[in-house]
């Protein structure tokens, strides 16, 4: 029994000279997020993170999450800026309802209003 276990162990391990399972090189992110333009939904859907021995490589996941967080913060700031500009424009307009009315032509009806 001991001889069988030893033979199986040597066959699996392969001895010290040659390895049965060579060390796999770590995978790297093949198609990273574009650096020259904002990330789109299609970029995220096409993104495939490389697998490691225990799941995903933390470095690759951290890089993707950092990039997405930065872009979301930038977009949130831009949205806040635009909302502020819109609120300012609405406050400037105040109670003027004539801004929403259709403009009347200068020649026709202009004299009738006076």
């Amino acid at each position: 029994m001991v001889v069988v276990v030893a033979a199986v162990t040597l066959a699996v391990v392969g001895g010290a000279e040659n390895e049965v399972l060579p060390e796999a090189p770590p995978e790297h992110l093949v198609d990273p997020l574009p650096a020259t333009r904002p990330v789109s939904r299609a970029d995220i859907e096409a993104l495939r993170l490389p697998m490691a021995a225990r799941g995903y490589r933390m470095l690759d996941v951290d890089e993707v999450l950092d990039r997405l967080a930065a872009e979301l913060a930038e977009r949130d700031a831009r949205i806040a800026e635009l909302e502020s500009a819109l609120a300012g424009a609405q406050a400037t307009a105040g109670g003027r309802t004539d801004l929403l009315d259709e403009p009347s032509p200068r020649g026709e009806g202009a004299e009738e209003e006076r």
Side-chain angles (χ1 to χ4, degrees):
M1 180 77 164
V2 173
V3 174
V4 172
V5 171
V8 170
T9 303
L10 284 176
V12 170
V13 174
E17 297 140 16
N18 51 358
E19 298 178 18
V20 175
L21 296 174
E23 192 66 33
E27 294 183 35
H28 294 286
L29 192 58
V30 176
D31 190 18
L33 298 174
T36 58
R37 62 177 172 78
V39 176
S40 69
R41 180 179 180 161
D43 295 327
I44 300 301
E45 289 174 351
L47 182 67
R48 296 294 175 259
L49 297 170
M51 296 296 290
R54 293 185 178 172
Y56 293 102
R57 294 187 63 222
M58 285 191 293
L59 180 64
D60 290 332
V61 174
D62 289 344
E63 286 177 6
V64 168
L65 291 177
D66 289 344
R67 172 74 188 276
L68 292 176
E71 289 211 15
L72 287 174
E74 184 179 315
R75 288 178 188 174
D76 288 345
R78 179 70 176 146
I79 289 170
E81 176 186 326
L82 292 173
E83 286 176 342
S84 175
L86 178 62
Q90 288 174 340
T92 302
R96 294 183 58 189
T97 59
D98 62 329
L99 294 175
L100 300 177
D101 295 337
E102 299 231 359
S104 62
R106 286 217 165 241
E108 299 174 21
E111 294 177 33
E112 294 175 11
E113 292 178 10
R114 290 183 192 172

